[in-house]
Amino acid sequence: MEHFLADDGEKIHLKISGTGRPVVLLHGWTSTHRDWSPFLEALEPAHQVFRWDARGHGGHALRTGHPPHVARMARDLHNLLDHWQLQDVALVGHSMGALTLWQYLQDYGDGRVSRVAFIDQSPRLLTDDGWAMGIYGDFDAARNRDFIRALEADFAETVLRLAAQGHNARARSRYQENAAGIVRARAFLRQLDPAPLIECWRSLTEADYRAVLGKIRVPALLVYGGASNFYSTGTALHVRDSIPNALLHIYPDVDHAPHLVERERFTRDLLDFLRRLGNE
């Protein structure tokens, strides 16, 4: 893998491939750059593709000790764009990656950005009396404190239960049956250092990007799962209606990773969205 140094000295690892207009792909919490591998063949002929392992992710131990708080990851993204002097870049974020992208837009604006895409995420994860579009529709601060304590006790199992205990019945069934995919995911999660990932989760659940949505001036693609583990269709509609120039696709009967479940459809939707760059 290649790497660059963030402005605090942390080494950020990434893969770069393809030629053409730059696209930066931001993965979700506990995941890695490998999430984007299925889309490289389609993207690389027309795009230079940047896929990082976010700070504290991908099995790369932190050198500085600075945890992967969402504001720090957004600054890492800013450093990445500076390091490769990228302009007119398309930014695509899934889950935590979408939150990182919203934080980036809040802190640095969209002057260097041509397009943005957000995959199955709410601008505020925690719910309260006035906001029911976060996790599960009823994941409030007290429930989050209990969740963090559970992460500290058994990180891998608690992460698996987060997806299994949501809206998606198939995910719940696979967890109860201890399906092969659950076994593989558990083994992967048990290899991770939980401390920085728990700190990352704290920062994600403290964030609120509802005010950012209306300030996004560049075209936005939204892809949501119609059977997301975490979010209702109402969340997707709220995000669409809050961003001035947003195109929403809801993939029916698909979970929190619609791009990975419906790979061919997502590839078509993303390429169509990106091709418009050359027509404006």
Side-chain angles (χ1 to χ4, degrees), residues 23 41 46 66 69 131 160 270:
V23 177
E41 183 178 356
H66 298 164
H69 293 156
W131 177 252
L160 293 175
L270 180 61

Side-chain angles (χ1 to χ4, degrees), residues 129-195:
D129 290 342
W131 177 252
M133 296 183 190
I135 297 172
Y136 303 159
D138 63 353
F139 197 88
D140 61 13
R143 190 168 181 180
N144 190 46
R145 287 193 294 271
D146 291 341
F147 177 74
I148 291 172
R149 283 194 288 269
L151 286 174
E152 293 168 340
D154 189 337
F155 181 81
E157 209 62 37
T158 302
V159 173
L160 293 175
R161 285 197 297 265
L162 179 69
Q165 293 174 350
H167 300 310
N168 190 287
R170 282 199 300 273
R172 186 161 49 254
S173 177
R174 287 194 296 267
Y175 178 76
Q176 292 170 346
E177 295 168 3
N178 200 31
I182 297 297
V183 173
R184 288 193 298 271
R186 183 181 292 112
F188 170 76
L189 290 165
R190 284 178 174 168
Q191 296 174 11
L192 304 180
D193 179 4

Side-chain angles (χ1 to χ4, degrees), residues 39-188:
F39 313 108
L40 294 181
E41 183 178 356
L43 286 171
E44 288 172 344
H47 298 281
Q48 186 179 29
V49 183
F50 294 77
R51 300 174 293 145
W52 74 4
D53 285 340
R55 173 184 299 245
H57 290 72
H60 307 292
L62 293 172
R63 305 191 327 160
T64 63
H66 298 164
H69 293 156
V70 65
R72 180 60 254 186
M73 291 188 292
R75 189 162 184 83
D76 293 342
L77 176 57
H78 180 66
N79 294 162
L80 184 158
L81 301 186
D82 278 348
H83 184 83
W84 276 278
Q85 299 182 336
L86 300 183
Q87 298 289 339
D88 296 322
V89 62
L91 303 175
V92 181
H94 169 233
S95 194
M96 179 188 79
L99 297 172
T100 303
L101 179 45
W102 279 322
Q103 180 78 42
Y104 172 84
L105 294 171
Q106 174 181 279
D107 293 347
Y108 303 101
D110 55 20
R112 304 170 72 167
V113 181
S114 60
R115 286 282 190 281
V116 290
F118 306 101
I119 305 173
D120 208 67
Q121 188 54 285
S122 169
R124 177 166 171 76
L125 300 191
L126 296 191
T127 62
D128 56 33
D129 290 342
W131 177 252
M133 296 183 190
I135 297 172
Y136 303 159
D138 63 353
F139 197 88
D140 61 13
R143 190 168 181 180
N144 190 46
R145 287 193 294 271
D146 291 341
F147 177 74
I148 291 172
R149 283 194 288 269
L151 286 174
E152 293 168 340
D154 189 337
F155 181 81
E157 209 62 37
T158 302
V159 173
L160 293 175
R161 285 197 297 265
L162 179 69
Q165 293 174 350
H167 300 310
N168 190 287
R170 282 199 300 273
R172 186 161 49 254
S173 177
R174 287 194 296 267
Y175 178 76
Q176 292 170 346
E177 295 168 3
N178 200 31
I182 297 297
V183 173
R184 288 193 298 271
R186 183 181 292 112
F188 170 76

